[in-house]
Amino acid sequence: MKNFPNTKQLGDVTQLDTKTLPQIDLLIGGSPCQGFSFAGKQMNFDDPRSKLFFEFVRILKEVKPKYFLFENVVMKKEYRDIISNILGVEPIKINSSLLSAAKRNRLYWSNIPNLKIPHDKEITFDDINLNDQHWLNDEYIERVKKWNAKQKPLNNVTYIGKKNKLPCLTARGYNQNHSGMILISDGHKFRYLTDNEAELAMTLPIDYTNGIPKRQRSRCIGNGWTVDIISHLFKNLKKCLENDTE
């Protein structure tokens, strides 16, 4: 709302009455991935968050847009096939690391023609490093070493000057005290990934999410889409729409 104040906010998608909408050319969405993610409990469609997929389907059927795009995580084939059967298209799998400094393997279902995997721009953390060296103290790092967690932050450190890719940013927050946080190191000291670096990793402008509470800011960034991947998928959409009106 800060960045695009003229965008009309429609509120809770489950309460949306599509009869009040004008003609829709493009519908995009991505239901929460936690139910499908291999990193979660894999409750799939039994997870109330993943059930929001069916709200996307409801709106898709009711507004009948010319084009649509639906995104979600890489998941078990049986659940991917359910989504494919309902939407009528097979997904394309793209890792955001091709166009950004962070890994993010995702599935995209769309009826936009001629979707292709982008060429690798070979962007690494060193390309977005803002050198905000607020190093964590040794006592904190010693505690982190003793965490009994499946995801161990010190085993997945991004090293400055090594042309590393960042791990996937998640909705848990990359700079908060948990096993999935993202740490940056010069080989001796460690620090968190900053919000501005996270924005750049998702190919957002710096300070795009500034103005919301810090914890929500990191969740917002980690929960979003990689902008340049979406731009790549949409690059021939204008031509498609122009052809439709001719």
Side-chain angles (χ1 to χ4, degrees):
M1 293 172 71
K2 179 194 75 172
N3 292 296
F4 297 97
N6 295 325
T7 297
K8 186 176 181 180
Q9 304 295 329
L10 298 177
D12 185 346
V13 69
T14 65
Q15 304 299 316
L16 177 62
D17 180 2
T18 58
K19 294 185 180 66
T20 63
L21 300 179
Q23 171 61 40
I24 303 298
D25 290 323
L26 173 66
L27 176 68
I28 66 174
S31 58
C33 66
Q34 288 87 347
F36 296 114
S37 174
F38 287 107
K41 296 181 180 179
Q42 297 183 50
M43 294 173 65
N44 303 299
F45 291 112
D46 291 328
D47 189 307
R49 295 165 296 184
S50 298
K51 286 182 179 178
L52 286 172
F53 163 68
F54 295 106
E55 290 297 330
F56 179 87
V57 174
R58 174 182 70 85
I59 295 169
L60 181 65
K61 289 181 177 179
E62 291 176 359
V63 304
K64 296 180 174 59
K66 294 177 181 178
Y67 299 101
F68 69 84
L69 173 71
F70 181 78
E71 176 265 6
N72 218 295
V73 294
V74 176
M75 62 187 73
K76 288 183 177 179
K77 184 178 184 301
E78 60 183 297
Y79 299 108
R80 184 189 70 196
D81 288 346
I82 291 173
I83 294 176
S84 298
N85 289 335
I86 292 174
L87 295 180
V89 294
E90 290 295 323
I92 180 173
K93 182 167 71 172
I94 302 177
N95 196 323
S96 295
S97 64
L98 294 172
L99 299 182
S100 75
K103 302 172 185 176
R104 196 177 191 84
N105 220 7
R106 292 294 185 267
L107 298 174
Y108 300 89
W109 287 262
S110 181
N111 64 342
I112 299 172
N114 303 317
L115 295 185
K116 297 179 181 178
I117 297 174
H119 296 295
D120 190 352
K121 287 189 174 181
E122 299 183 351
I123 301 170
T124 69
F125 174 72
D126 292 325
D127 296 310
I128 66 167
N129 180 12
L130 297 178
N131 294 299
D132 191 357
Q133 315 296 20
H134 287 77
W135 301 114
L136 299 167
N137 62 52
D138 293 340
E139 180 183 355
Y140 176 79
I141 295 302
E142 286 301 314
R143 291 203 309 270
V144 172
K145 289 179 180 178
K146 297 174 183 177
W147 283 359
N148 183 20
K150 183 177 179 180
Q151 294 173 298
K152 297 184 181 298
L154 294 182
N155 290 349
N156 204 22
V157 171
T158 300
Y159 287 99
I160 297 169
K162 299 291 186 180
K163 297 188 179 300
N164 285 171
K165 291 283 188 180
L166 291 164
C168 181
L169 280 66
T170 72
R172 297 177 67 193
Y174 43 79
N175 56 8
Q176 297 168 28
N177 191 331
H178 60 77
S179 61
M181 67 183 180
I182 298 176
L183 294 181
I184 309 301
S185 177
D186 65 352
H188 304 283
K189 300 179 291 295
F190 300 85
R191 68 169 173 87
Y192 288 127
L193 181 73
T194 69
D195 288 326
N196 285 159
E197 288 169 342
E199 288 168 331
L200 293 176
M202 297 295 285
T203 62
L204 287 163
I206 286 179
D207 280 338
Y208 184 87
T209 60
N210 190 23
I212 57 178
K214 187 171 182 61
R215 179 174 289 270
Q216 293 303 322
R217 185 176 182 180
S218 63
R219 288 178 175 174
C220 177
I221 296 169
N223 226 354
W225 289 354
T226 307
V227 176
D228 284 5
I229 293 294
I230 305 304
S231 296
H232 167 79
L233 294 174
F234 285 174
K235 66 181 181 180
N236 65 338
L237 187 57
K238 181 179 179 182
K239 184 177 181 180
C240 291
L241 290 171
E242 288 173 347
N243 291 338
D244 287 345
T245 57
E246 291 177 357

